[in-house]
Amino acid sequence: MKKIKCIAIDDEPLALALIKTYVDATEHLQLIGTFEDAIAAAEHLNQFPVDLLFLDINMPDITGIDLFKSFKVKPMVIFTTAYKNFAFEGFELNAIDYLLKPIDYIRFKKAVHKAVDYHQYQTQKSVEMPDEYLFVYAEYKLIKIEVKEILYLESLEDYVKIHLINGKMIMTLTTLKKLIEKLPADKFKRIHRSYVVAIKGVQQVANRKAYLNNDFSLPISDTYISFINDWKNGEL
């Protein structure tokens, strides 16, 4: 696997030294440089783009949040911060993750693993990756979901609830339309403006409802009424 090129930006030399140590110990990363000066880092990035930033949020001249917003081409970013309350701002910018200082190496590796997975997903190095996994932002970080674990999707205005077969639920700030485009069309079907079901999870179709188990069902609206015949005729 080709290494992910990264730089670290932090006004604290000790913090940069720690990240350099961690990167050197991590096989998938190649550290291109470290910067204490955010403006100098931005100028470097304009000429020499990288795949991933380790970016401190609380810096004197400009915050990491504002610096990242200023980039026309945004690489993956893992924010580092001593303040937990900055997490939501990072979430809004689709950060891969955020690391709370002092950074633990195990936690660092976990964040990097997400970046590696997402980088492979974006570049589609593995042909199977788009059909096997779904990446969404939730709980202030990037989450990787196995497609086979999804039971159904539920739209709630600007959010979507992803219901898993194990009973867990993940809520992400996106639209149902955007998520459908990321899922394999032969495995998921829309049955209502608010619902998309995993075909394999539908156990019965009756009374204009899709039954996912004996006690739970979702409505099938007029717009998607063809789902009933397609399911009964085994065409899905």
Side-chain angles (χ1 to χ4, degrees):
M1 173 187 167
K2 188 177 179 181
K3 290 195 173 186
I4 293 176
K5 295 180 180 180
C6 62
I7 69 168
I9 307 172
D10 197 309
D11 63 305
E12 298 176 9
L14 289 177
L16 288 176
L18 182 63
I19 289 178
K20 183 181 186 306
T21 299
Y22 286 173
V23 170
D24 289 344
T26 307
E27 62 175 329
H28 298 301
L29 299 181
Q30 178 186 358
L31 187 64
I32 302 301
T34 60
F35 295 85
E36 293 178 42
D37 186 330
I39 305 303
E43 291 174 354
H44 177 86
L45 283 169
N46 285 334
Q47 296 183 59
F48 308 102
V50 296
D51 305 307
L52 173 66
L53 300 180
F54 293 96
L55 180 56
D56 184 36
I57 291 179
N58 191 28
M59 294 185 290
D61 297 326
I62 183 172
T63 69
I65 297 289
D66 289 335
L67 179 65
F68 190 71
K69 286 179 178 178
S70 72
F71 296 145
K72 291 182 179 179
V73 179
K74 293 178 171 57
M76 296 183 293
V77 61
I78 296 175
F79 285 111
T80 62
T81 178
Y83 304 96
K84 203 169 186 178
N85 59 302
F86 281 114
F88 182 72
E89 293 180 75
F91 167 67
E92 288 185 314
L93 292 174
N94 290 345
I96 294 294
D97 208 340
Y98 68 95
L99 298 173
L100 194 62
K101 298 178 180 179
I103 300 170
D104 174 78
Y105 182 56
I106 294 176
R107 182 68 182 83
F108 176 88
K109 282 175 61 177
K110 185 177 179 180
V112 168
H113 183 70
K114 292 180 186 177
V116 171
D117 276 354
Y118 191 60
H119 185 64
Q120 289 180 332
Y121 177 76
Q122 283 185 311
T123 55
Q124 296 187 5
K125 294 295 184 184
S126 167
V127 176
E128 298 302 320
M129 185 69 76
D131 284 346
E132 291 183 359
Y133 300 105
L134 176 69
F135 288 85
V136 299
Y137 290 93
E139 302 171 12
Y140 309 136
K141 54 195 172 186
L142 186 70
I143 294 179
K144 176 183 175 181
I145 303 171
E146 288 190 69
V147 168
K148 67 181 182 181
E149 297 298 316
I150 299 173
L151 183 60
Y152 72 99
L153 311 178
E154 178 184 5
S155 175
L156 295 172
E157 296 183 356
D158 295 329
Y159 289 84
V160 174
K161 283 185 178 181
I162 303 172
H163 297 265
L164 306 181
I165 59 177
N166 62 7
K168 292 184 179 180
M169 183 273 294
I170 297 169
M171 188 157 68
T172 180
L173 180 60
T174 189
T175 64
L176 203 54
K177 183 177 183 295
K178 289 181 180 178
L179 278 189
I180 292 171
E181 292 171 353
K182 296 180 180 181
L183 292 169
D186 61 331
K187 296 178 181 177
F188 291 85
K189 292 296 178 183
R190 194 163 191 165
I191 62 170
H192 189 278
R193 66 186 299 271
S194 298
Y195 299 109
V196 169
V197 295
I199 297 169
K200 70 173 185 178
V202 179
Q203 298 182 8
Q204 182 182 357
V205 173
N207 302 319
R208 298 184 61 153
K209 293 180 181 180
Y211 288 82
L212 306 185
N213 57 48
N214 293 332
D215 301 318
F216 182 74
S217 65
L218 296 172
I220 301 171
S221 67
D222 290 341
T223 305
Y224 304 97
I225 201 70
S226 61
F227 175 85
I228 295 176
N229 287 331
D230 290 345
W231 189 87
K232 288 182 176 180
N233 294 332
E235 295 177 4
L236 296 176

